[in-house]
Amino acid sequence: MEQDSVLWQKFREGDPLAFEQLLRSYYRPLFDYGRRFVSDRDVLKDLVHDLFLHLWERRESLGKTDHIKPYLLTSLRNRIFKNSNRFEARPDIFLALEHTPEDFHETANSIESELILTEFAAEKLSRIQHIIQSLTPRQQEIIHLKFYQDLSNERIAEILNISRPATANLLYESLKMFREKWLLVAGLLLLFLAGGH
């Protein structure tokens, strides 16, 4: 993929191939991020399409950017909140955990062992989802941006419109809370198993 500043400049100049590349590269990350706020997939698709259409129509007046992804995430976030009265928003639900972590790389020697590993991975993912959903909306959002959008603290600060120290503190507190809840669940599970139930 071309350097962001070059691609963005071509897009601003009306290059249809640059527009197509933006769509292919960033539609999915935008959709995944938007699911944090919008429960209706069709409404969200419309919002993402509208954003790209809006940017294309206004391309000549857009400013330069060296970081397209944070720019687009911020634009979508603003568009969602601006239009939240038109649909059922759900900022309290984190819906972006769609991919099972690749925790198991050992080759399974039988169908049974594969099933056990798959079931264990699904259970682990379910616990992760449950814990993340118990965090505050702000904590959920920063975890999504950091680990699912793979953004730096500097870019997250821009999207959330807070300072870099505030971003670092929020991320630290969010991960600390996640870890505490994870250890609590693991501890209760061990107690349950030890009790022979």
Side-chain angles (χ1 to χ4, degrees), residues 166-184:
T167 300
N169 287 340
L170 178 60
L171 184 60
Y172 172 78
E173 290 300 327
S174 302
L175 293 176
K176 181 182 173 188
M177 184 69 68
F178 178 90
R179 187 170 183 274
E180 287 172 0
K181 288 175 181 266
W182 177 266
L183 292 174
L184 177 64

Side-chain angles (χ1 to χ4, degrees), residues 19-20 32 57 78 85 91 101 123 138 161 167 175 188:
F19 181 51
E20 183 184 337
D32 287 345
E57 290 172 347
N78 293 339
N85 61 325
E123 172 61 28
R138 197 73 157 169
N161 197 26
T167 300
L175 293 176
L188 289 173

Side-chain angles (χ1 to χ4, degrees), residues 133-150:
Q133 288 176 7
S134 73
L135 301 177
T136 69
R138 197 73 157 169
Q139 291 171 333
Q140 293 174 24
E141 185 171 14
I142 197 168
I143 287 175
H144 175 79
L145 292 171
K146 185 68 177 178
F147 298 103
Y148 293 88
Q149 296 292 348
D150 196 29

Side-chain angles (χ1 to χ4, degrees), residues 10-197:
K10 287 184 177 181
F11 169 72
R12 290 170 67 213
E13 292 169 355
D15 184 340
L17 292 177
F19 181 51
E20 183 184 337
Q21 189 169 344
L22 284 178
L23 274 170
R24 277 190 284 110
S25 300
Y26 297 109
Y27 180 87
R28 187 67 200 184
L30 285 169
F31 187 82
D32 287 345
Y33 180 57
R35 288 193 67 202
R36 277 205 71 259
F37 308 102
V38 183
S39 57
D40 189 314
R41 297 174 70 94
D42 291 329
V43 169
L44 179 57
K45 284 178 186 176
D46 288 344
L47 286 166
V48 176
H49 290 156
D50 288 349
L51 172 62
F52 277 110
L53 184 61
H54 175 73
L55 291 172
W56 178 253
E57 290 172 347
R58 291 187 59 243
R59 63 189 180 278
E60 292 176 7
S61 62
L62 297 175
K64 294 181 180 180
T65 183
D66 295 330
H67 305 283
I68 295 174
K69 190 176 186 179
Y71 181 93
L72 293 177
L73 290 172
T74 303
S75 299
L76 179 62
R77 188 176 195 268
N78 293 339
R79 181 167 285 263
I80 287 172
F81 285 122
K82 185 178 176 184
N83 293 279
S84 61
N85 61 325
R86 289 175 34 214
F87 55 84
E88 179 194 350
R90 46 198 304 185
D92 57 327
I93 296 180
F94 186 86
L95 294 167
L97 283 161
E98 292 184 343
H99 307 290
T100 304
E102 299 289 333
D103 286 339
F104 306 104
H105 297 292
E106 302 88 351
T107 303
N109 295 325
S110 66
I111 292 175
E112 289 87 351
S113 59
E114 279 189 29
L115 286 172
I116 290 168
L117 289 178
T118 302
E119 190 174 323
F120 185 76
E123 172 61 28
K124 187 175 178 183
L125 179 61
S126 175
R127 275 197 284 154
I128 290 172
Q129 289 175 318
H130 182 73
I131 291 171
I132 288 180
Q133 288 176 7
S134 73
L135 301 177
T136 69
R138 197 73 157 169
Q139 291 171 333
Q140 293 174 24
E141 185 171 14
I142 197 168
I143 287 175
H144 175 79
L145 292 171
K146 185 68 177 178
F147 298 103
Y148 293 88
Q149 296 292 348
D150 196 29
L151 296 177
S152 67
N153 286 8
E154 184 180 1
R155 301 296 157 229
I156 293 171
E158 290 173 8
I159 292 170
L160 299 183
N161 197 26
I162 58 178
S163 69
R164 289 206 301 193
T167 300
N169 287 340
L170 178 60
L171 184 60
Y172 172 78
E173 290 300 327
S174 302
L175 293 176
K176 181 182 173 188
M177 184 69 68
F178 178 90
R179 187 170 183 274
E180 287 172 0
K181 288 175 181 266
W182 177 266
L183 292 174
L184 177 64
V185 169
L188 289 173
L189 184 62
L190 286 173
L191 282 173
F192 179 79
L193 293 173
H197 296 291

